[in-house]
Amino acid sequence: SRPILDMSYSRQFLDFQGSSIPSSMKKLVVTKLSQNFREAVTLQQDSPVPLPGDGDLLVRNRFVGINASDINYSAGRYDASVKPPFDIGFEGVGEVVALGLSASADYTVGQAVAYVKAGSFAEYTVVPARQAVPLPSVKPEFLTLMVSGATAYLSLKELGDLSEGKKVLVTAAAGGTGQFAVQLAKKAKCHVIGTCSSDEKGGFLKSIGCDRTINYKTENVESVLRKDYPEGVDVVYESVGGKMFDLALNALAIKGRLIVIGFITGYQNPTGFQPIKAELLPAKLLKKSASIRGFFLNHYLSDYKMALQHLLKMYERGDLVCEVDFGDMSPEGKFTGLESVFRAVDYMYMGKNIGKIVVELPHSVNSKL
């Protein structure tokens, strides 16, 4: 039995201003646990469009974000108790097309919202109103802040102890979250070093304030750090893992901090890890009074809305670049439609993206939204 909703809701749901909400939709579903995204995930063509409950919004997704951890989720690494089939995709931006009675106290049909919730790789997603973030408009730039921006902001704020003159190394600096770590460290008047895989990415990094870029395809990261920063770096924002983790650890200054926000090199491995030289870890940390801290956004949700509001204000003031990569330069062109999520995940793991990878979900032309 479904809760009785207000009458305006039922009218909107059946026929919102000439744009009827269909009874079925496309969505991506994990049907088998695997670190191979294409093996794990199936595009379902005719899933029922979910109905929002009393405190919920039904959001028509217009843009969805790709995250390195989508593969961890499809491999079942985050919650071993969840068995396929289950929905996938962490974040979306779109319009409210229907809502429950109590949700209508704060939201209206047609309103732009963003959210972080499993199940965004779908044409429509039910989002609890309390988890939604109202936006001034539907723009993909807002999506870059939801997971990637918030991760950079909260991890550096809580664990980075940034202050003027500190040297900050950001690995995968031109990626979805690296771009924010670079900019936020610069705002704290730090000296920022960024690793990347092409001169084009290096140019982007310089444009957002990076003081020294290291193209690891043409330069030896270890040699550059030893030569240019003989005293070491104070903070590392690390998302690569494997050999890059070892390099970063060795490059720490006295009382240096290494913040682990991911290890993308390991995500496609069956075990999820690339080996690191951990047996020397206690000695290395002791010798430098250094520390390593892990950061997982889910553990900082109490501060999440504050972080997001801060980042939204920065973006609206023009103080933050939110670079979006729609895959225009990928072999088959722009990422449009749910079927292109597979290509977008491949593109990220090839290390081609500059900024946050976003997939656009076009909606039917008869819409009045």
Side-chain angles (χ1 to χ4, degrees):
S1 65
R2 296 203 179 272
I4 295 169
L5 306 175
D6 67 317
M7 293 305 291
S8 63
Y9 158 78
S10 61
R11 181 174 54 77
Q12 286 157 357
F13 192 81
L14 292 171
D15 185 11
F16 170 59
Q17 296 178 3
S19 169
S20 57
I21 295 167
S23 57
S24 65
M25 65 171 187
K26 292 181 187 172
K27 72 172 180 176
L28 294 185
V29 178
V30 176
T31 48
K32 170 188 169 189
L33 295 183
S34 170
Q35 75 283 349
N36 179 332
F37 192 81
R38 287 178 181 270
E39 261 180 34
V41 178
T42 305
L43 175 62
Q44 294 190 348
Q45 298 283 353
D46 53 358
S47 296
V49 171
L51 283 174
D54 179 57
D56 296 334
L57 312 173
L58 180 66
V59 178
R60 177 165 58 205
N61 294 315
R62 292 280 300 283
F63 300 102
V64 293
I66 305 295
N67 292 284
S69 44
D70 289 328
I71 279 185
N72 285 339
Y73 201 58
S74 68
R77 289 180 184 144
Y78 283 161
D79 185 350
S81 68
V82 179
K83 299 286 181 268
F86 55 87
D87 297 346
I88 190 165
F90 291 130
E91 54 187 344
V93 165
E95 305 103 345
V96 176
V97 290
L99 69 173
L101 179 57
S102 55
S104 66
D106 299 307
Y107 288 92
T108 57
V109 165
Q111 187 163 356
V113 292
Y115 64 89
V116 175
K117 176 184 177 284
S120 71
F121 291 163
E123 290 177 319
Y124 296 86
T125 303
V126 167
V127 179
R130 67 179 187 281
Q131 288 180 22
V133 179
L135 297 174
S137 61
V138 174
K139 283 175 74 174
E141 285 77 10
F142 293 126
L143 197 53
T144 66
L145 303 174
M146 299 301 293
V147 170
S148 303
T151 294
Y153 178 83
L154 285 168
S155 63
L156 290 173
K157 180 175 178 287
E158 298 292 325
L159 310 178
D161 193 25
L162 300 185
S163 58
E164 186 170 354
K166 286 202 171 167
K167 298 179 191 75
V168 178
L169 171 65
V170 180
T171 63
T177 188
Q179 64 171 328
F180 295 111
V182 168
Q183 293 178 79
L184 293 167
K186 278 309 289 179
K187 296 264 181 276
K189 300 185 175 168
C190 298
H191 176 93
V192 184
I193 309 135
T195 70
C196 61
S197 60
S198 71
D199 291 341
E200 188 190 359
K201 291 184 180 190
F204 166 67
L205 289 173
K206 288 197 174 86
S207 78
I208 59 171
C210 202
D211 297 288
R212 173 68 160 97
T213 61
I214 307 174
N215 178 348
Y216 62 80
K217 295 276 177 77
T218 58
E219 294 181 273
N220 182 305
V221 178
E222 193 172 16
S223 305
V224 170
L225 291 172
R226 200 179 295 130
K227 175 171 162 288
D228 293 1
Y229 304 96
E231 301 292 307
V233 296
D234 302 295
V235 179
V236 182
Y237 184 85
E238 216 297 274
S239 61
V240 176
K243 292 190 177 102
M244 188 63 83
F245 174 90
D246 288 329
L247 285 179
L249 178 67
N250 291 338
L252 282 177
I254 303 292
K255 297 183 185 173
R257 297 156 176 261
L258 195 158
I259 304 169
V260 176
I261 63 118
F263 42 95
I264 192 170
T265 50
Y267 292 172
Q268 289 181 302
N269 292 354
T271 57
F273 293 99
Q274 279 210 335
I276 56 167
K277 295 175 181 155
E279 61 276 9
L280 299 173
L281 196 58
K284 285 179 178 179
L285 294 177
L286 180 67
K287 195 168 91 174
K288 294 177 174 179
S289 294
S291 64
I292 299 175
R293 294 287 297 272
F295 179 89
F296 188 46
L297 186 59
N298 289 14
H299 299 149
Y300 290 83
L301 292 181
S302 57
D303 298 319
Y304 178 76
K305 284 226 160 160
M306 171 277 297
L308 207 53
Q309 281 159 357
H310 183 82
L311 291 166
L312 283 165
K313 280 186 189 131
M314 284 180 74
Y315 173 67
E316 283 166 3
R317 284 199 310 263
D319 288 343
L320 201 60
V321 172
C322 298
E323 189 70 17
V324 173
D325 191 332
F326 278 120
D328 294 299
M329 306 307 289
S330 69
E332 293 169 60
K334 186 175 174 180
F335 303 133
T336 305
L338 285 171
E339 46 285 342
S340 70
V341 167
F342 298 96
R343 285 200 299 119
V345 169
D346 289 344
Y347 179 73
M348 176 173 46
Y349 278 91
M350 288 187 287
K352 299 290 190 193
N353 58 301
I354 295 181
K356 174 85 179 184
I357 301 177
V358 173
V359 174
E360 183 172 9
L361 306 184
H363 57 285
S364 58
V365 290
N366 71 340
S367 166
K368 297 283 176 69
L369 279 176

